[in-house]
Amino acid sequence: MIVRRYVVKDMPEAVASIRRELGQDAVILSTRNIRVRKWLGLRSERRIEVMAAAKEELAATAGASFGQALRMAMLGSAGERSSAPPAREVWSQLASEIAEIKQMLAEVKQRGDAPSGGDHEPLQRWRTFLQAEGVDAVLADRWARMALGHPVAPGDRPALAAALIEAIQSDLGALALPAPIRRDSRMVAFVGPTGVGKTTTIAKIAALHVLAGKRRVGLLTTDTFRIAAVEQLKTYADILNVPIAIADEPEDVPSALAALSSCDLVLVDTAGRNFLNPASIEQTKRMLAPIEADEVLLVVSLATKPADALKIADMAKPLSVDKFIFTKLDETSSVGMIPSLVAMCQLPIAYVTTGQNVPDDIDILSVSDLLTPWREAHGHG
Ligand SMILES: Nc1nc2c(ncn2[C@@H]2O[C@H](COP(=O)(O)OP(=O)(O)OP(=O)(O)O)[C@@H](O)[C@H]2O)c(=O)[nH]1
Ligand SMILES: [Mg+2]
């Protein structure tokens, strides 16, 4: 059973090698996007991994039981018979080939990807690409179909990548546009799971407003849950020379707010909690109630698994979230979770953070800007 793996830049390259090595009738079993490490692992480049098999081998084993297929493969062809016991090397080679095929089939199953059929190119390729990037399966199908509806030559990958981004942008409409804190918002609360960068992002936004000199910024922290949380925000307040107030309990909020009455923008920090736990959401909600925030920003780290991020956003609904802040863009190489979450939660993006430096590592970006890596991956420099 000859199954070979090809790691190539594009499909024409794969097809040429497959035809040459496995014959004209070879069958492509699966394709997927992978990243290959270069320069001592410092850089990575996109490649396509293609699994292909020689057709007659597939035909010979099709419909055979696992045991029959094994025997046929050992004998070299379906017709030959031999009473000689298999040599140890044949067994071990076979075992490794079977392990490879099992792995391949598991991957194919996991991606919900048909191993054969004319659907493979280019719809399947773009669907697989989007899912690998973190886009939900239903949206991946929708956006790949929309992109392929554009009048683009099938092999023109840069144009298809651009069409894909355009399709997503038009599907999201106004949600694709950046939505930073409104000028008329005074109380702005930041909520989210533990360690996603809420406090750091508040420091960045506060610093930018202080530097712009247009609004008097104040900080309110309700995070007395974690040791040193207050000190963390206080340090930023001292550096920026802005007032800070602390509310331990919901009852403390009115006096804390009174201390910030001269401020026209109050950024409210909350304790990071496990957002998959309804009790934590309830506590955050109780704390936010007396604050009456004009905007509630859900902070989500892009290093989170897409399925978990979706659950977090779903769990956060009782907090009346208005917008996302996506943090740690610098810690991920797949940006598909961004449009996927925006579409599924119907919330725009206020800010994106790109590193630990305060205040530099924060941006106001559209979904299209955020998908720029796709253009680069598919040929646009
Ligand atoms: N790489 C990277 N690190 C970030 C970014 N934003 C914040 N961090 C880091 O993430 C860590 C946690 O940041 P915090 O601001 O304390 O996170 P938090 O959400 O307030 O944490 P809790 O209050 O404990 O829930 C710190 O080491 C930050 O420097 C970012 O955009 N990129
Ligand atoms: Mg914090």
Side-chain angles (χ1 to χ4, degrees):
M1 203 178 295
I2 304 171
V3 176
R4 290 223 173 114
R5 176 174 177 266
Y6 297 84
V7 175
V8 289
K9 280 195 173 150
D10 54 28
M11 284 308 286
E13 185 189 335
V15 170
S17 306
I18 292 166
R19 291 242 165 93
R20 196 172 54 246
E21 293 174 19
L22 299 179
Q24 289 296 317
D25 295 327
V27 174
I28 292 175
L29 297 168
S30 72
T31 59
R32 68 172 180 136
N33 286 293
I34 58 169
R35 283 189 167 271
V36 180
R37 297 250 158 238
K38 298 262 164 169
W39 298 95
L40 301 170
L42 293 175
R43 289 188 54 191
S44 71
E45 284 181 8
R46 281 177 196 279
R47 290 284 183 278
I48 305 170
E49 180 198 75
V50 182
M51 303 295 294
K55 184 99 180 248
E56 56 279 18
E57 300 288 344
L58 277 187
T61 55
S65 69
F66 181 71
Q68 284 167 326
L70 199 67
R71 201 161 52 248
M72 284 183 221
M74 280 179 339
L75 292 171
S77 86
E80 283 178 42
R81 287 276 177 268
S82 165
S83 56
R88 187 178 290 277
E89 312 85 72
V90 176
W91 274 112
S92 78
Q93 192 194 343
L94 204 59
S96 76
E97 280 182 2
I98 289 167
E100 198 180 340
I101 292 164
K102 278 172 108 178
Q103 160 85 19
M104 187 190 76
L105 288 174
E107 284 174 12
V108 165
K109 192 161 169 242
Q110 198 184 359
R111 294 199 306 271
D113 177 354
S116 61
D119 194 27
H120 248 80
E121 287 289 333
L123 177 63
Q124 183 57 36
R125 184 171 70 190
W126 287 101
R127 242 181 350 212
T128 306
F129 165 74
L130 286 171
Q131 278 184 258
E133 281 284 309
V135 175
D136 161 79
V138 174
L139 286 171
D141 184 62
R142 174 182 170 83
W143 289 340
R145 283 177 197 280
M146 284 176 73
L148 290 166
H150 282 67
V152 172
D156 190 349
R157 293 160 57 88
L160 271 166
L164 190 63
I165 295 169
E166 212 180 299
I168 293 174
Q169 171 123 330
S170 79
D171 203 29
L172 293 178
L175 290 173
L177 302 174
I181 293 172
R182 293 194 317 264
R183 278 168 188 273
D184 60 345
S185 293
R186 179 167 181 269
M187 301 294 301
V188 181
F190 295 68
V191 299
T194 59
V196 289
K198 296 178 293 297
T199 308
T200 311
T201 306
I202 287 174
K204 290 172 184 174
I205 295 171
L208 293 178
H209 279 95
V210 167
L211 291 173
K214 291 201 176 125
R215 294 172 85 172
R216 278 173 312 228
V217 182
L219 305 178
L220 169 63
T221 181
T222 62
D223 184 4
T224 52
F225 182 82
R226 186 169 60 76
I227 292 171
V230 171
E231 282 65 29
Q232 187 188 1
L233 198 63
K234 243 182 169 167
T235 306
Y236 287 122
D238 288 346
I239 295 168
L240 296 170
N241 195 23
V242 298
I244 178 167
I246 300 154
D248 231 335
E249 293 292 332
E251 300 74 53
D252 304 333
V253 168
S255 59
L257 287 183
L260 299 172
S261 59
S262 63
C263 301
D264 45 27
L265 176 63
V266 177
L267 305 175
V268 183
D269 198 4
T270 59
R273 306 302 302 272
N274 173 3
F275 264 40
L276 298 181
N277 176 1
S280 304
I281 302 282
E282 194 45 47
Q283 279 171 2
T284 307
K285 190 177 170 188
R286 243 173 36 86
M287 202 66 222
L288 284 185
I291 288 169
E292 295 178 0
D294 297 303
E295 292 187 58
V296 176
L297 308 184
L298 175 62
V299 185
V300 177
S301 161
L302 291 170
T304 313
K305 276 188 273 175
D308 288 338
L310 182 61
K311 271 190 217 144
I312 287 164
D314 198 44
M315 292 291 291
K317 271 186 190 153
L319 304 176
S320 307
V321 171
D322 295 287
K323 297 167 183 177
F324 282 117
I325 290 181
F326 288 123
T327 57
K328 311 197 184 187
L329 179 66
D330 54 310
E331 289 193 24
T332 183
S333 58
S334 11
V335 289
M337 183 169 105
I338 297 171
S340 194
L341 277 180
V342 168
M344 285 190 284
C345 303
Q346 292 288 294
L347 297 175
I349 308 164
Y351 304 94
V352 179
T353 75
T354 54
Q356 294 180 288
N357 297 314
V358 178
D360 291 341
D361 295 339
I362 187 163
D363 268 310
I364 297 174
L365 298 171
S366 70
V367 168
S368 167
D369 293 333
L370 286 160
L371 299 182
T372 300
W374 291 357
R375 286 183 223 275
E376 285 157 10
H378 293 281
H380 277 316

